[in-house]
Amino acid sequence: MSISIEKQHPLFAAELSGIDVGADITPEIIAAVENAVDQFAVVIMPGQDITDEQQIEFARHFGPRESPAIAASGFAEKGHRLPQYLFDASNLGLDNEILPPGHARREMRAADRLWHTDSSFNPLPTKWSMLSARIIPPEGGNTDFADARAAYDALDENMKERIEELVAEHSLWHSRKKGGLKTVTNAQEQGLPPVTHRVVRQIPGTERKAYMAGAHARRIIGMDEAEGAALLQELTDFATRPEFVYSHQWRTNDLVIWDNRCTLHRGTPFDDEKFKRDMRRTTIDEFAPSWAKVG
Ligand code: OGA
Ligand code: MN
């Protein structure tokens, strides 16, 4: 079967067909996926009926895999439903049943409904996420994506200049509090302390510029805290205007890859006390911090 690509939105997001993620991964396949993500930032690969091991193996070809145990659930419950290298974005507990209301991991996941970039609370920039839909609810539960390259291009020149050299602080606990988590312990704060990333980056591959804000971004280094937070909110609001957004309606066995350096995303509601939604994510880091400037 030959590889084909079909655009889903005027600005970004495309469906990539003709690749079997569970089969042997050739250099041609790696190049096709890298090129597609560079060009479209969000790439949907339908019909990927894969095992956890196949998903983890596929991810290996694109960079260092994040081991998400701590951020995923390590602070919320003992044990892991999924193997190392798989982040559990489901509404399921260790017994594969729907988490009860008020469960600690439910509280942790609530902030996924805010616009964010994955794992920007980690020191290394997150290159891509790859989310596999194993079980989807009968309605709702889309994932929305925003193109932060197109948003950057659309900023006025004053704003581009204002943000060019800025560095932002990101913290998991900031987004969790925004998402409604009431208590964050000292051990949690110290276990995942804040990190910094450049706001504006040139994305390797296309050399297009994009900016990174979203729910983990707390303040701008060297700027009054409230002023920095307001600027980050303004940037997030701008990037998530309707013209920059593609909403993905999941089908079972979709594998969706997105570039966290130049997109924002958020989960959307569904009846999560009634229906299972089993989503499993491999996450790929870059090799160097974002402030190691490219070019
Ligand atoms: C994620 C995420 C949202 C969703 O897996 O990183 O934000 O719709 N998921 O499952
Ligand atoms: Mn996410």
Side-chain angles (χ1 to χ4, degrees):
M1 194 177 171
S2 62
I3 295 174
S4 64
I5 194 137
E6 196 182 328
K7 216 169 163 185
Q8 304 292 307
H9 180 280
L11 297 169
F12 73 130
E15 189 166 292
L16 180 61
S17 308
I19 291 174
D20 179 356
V21 164
D24 281 349
I25 304 302
T26 61
E28 290 71 30
I29 291 177
I30 295 171
V33 174
E34 290 273 8
N35 288 337
V37 181
D38 277 344
Q39 202 178 339
F40 297 103
V42 176
V43 169
I44 300 123
M45 303 178 76
Q48 304 296 338
D49 183 6
I50 45 174
T51 63
D52 291 344
E53 290 66 34
Q54 285 170 324
Q55 183 173 349
I56 290 165
E57 170 60 17
F58 181 65
R60 183 175 68 81
H61 298 281
F62 301 99
R65 290 161 300 187
E66 176 183 280
S67 187
I70 294 176
S73 59
F75 289 120
E77 63 189 340
K78 293 253 184 304
H80 305 290
R81 194 174 71 91
L82 305 180
Q84 190 193 14
Y85 298 126
L86 274 186
F87 172 87
D88 191 352
S90 76
N91 62 338
L92 307 178
L94 301 179
D95 57 359
N96 283 312
E97 295 301 323
I98 294 173
L99 291 166
H103 188 282
R105 202 154 62 77
R106 231 176 222 291
E107 288 197 315
M108 286 289 285
R109 299 270 56 81
D112 291 349
R113 305 248 171 115
L114 306 173
W115 287 106
H116 66 280
T117 60
D118 286 333
S119 300
S120 64
F121 46 81
N122 283 336
L124 285 178
T126 310
K127 182 187 174 193
W128 296 352
S129 291
M130 301 178 158
L131 189 61
S132 163
R134 308 294 176 87
I135 302 174
I136 57 166
E139 58 183 347
N142 277 22
T143 304
D144 294 342
F145 294 94
D147 184 348
R149 306 166 308 179
Y152 176 85
D153 291 345
L155 290 176
D156 65 44
E157 292 306 316
N158 284 343
M159 183 62 109
K160 283 183 183 163
E161 250 171 62
R162 185 173 170 211
I163 66 175
E164 175 67 21
E165 296 295 332
L166 297 182
V167 172
E169 180 181 283
H170 293 244
S171 159
L172 175 69
W173 306 115
H174 180 64
S175 61
R176 298 311 96 168
K177 286 178 202 159
K178 274 182 138 178
L181 189 70
K182 282 174 209 71
T183 47
V184 177
T185 64
N186 283 342
Q188 287 175 322
E189 295 269 13
Q190 283 159 18
L192 270 178
V195 301
T196 56
H197 298 289
R198 292 180 64 87
V199 172
V200 175
R201 291 196 63 191
Q202 202 164 20
I203 311 305
T206 56
E207 300 197 348
R208 284 187 71 180
K209 280 185 169 178
Y211 64 81
M212 192 162 78
H216 305 308
R218 188 169 76 176
R219 65 190 184 101
I220 302 286
I221 303 301
M223 196 182 277
D224 169 76
E225 182 144 354
E227 194 189 333
L231 176 58
L232 289 163
Q233 188 63 51
E234 184 182 343
L235 291 170
T236 300
D237 291 346
F238 185 76
T240 57
R241 280 157 50 153
E243 64 266 35
F244 302 129
V245 172
Y246 162 73
S247 184
H248 185 63
Q249 187 176 356
W250 292 90
R251 298 150 297 188
T252 310
N253 295 332
D254 276 349
L255 180 73
V256 176
I257 306 176
W258 62 87
D259 190 331
N260 283 292
R261 302 164 298 187
C262 60
T263 58
L264 289 162
H265 65 279
R266 66 171 177 189
T268 67
F270 67 102
D271 191 344
D272 64 3
E273 292 182 14
K274 187 165 170 199
F275 298 113
K276 290 186 177 182
R277 185 170 182 272
D278 189 351
M279 312 293 281
R280 305 180 183 196
R281 194 185 85 206
T282 30
T283 317
I284 297 165
D285 288 335
E286 287 188 282
F287 290 94
S290 63
W291 33 262
K293 204 171 175 180
V294 184

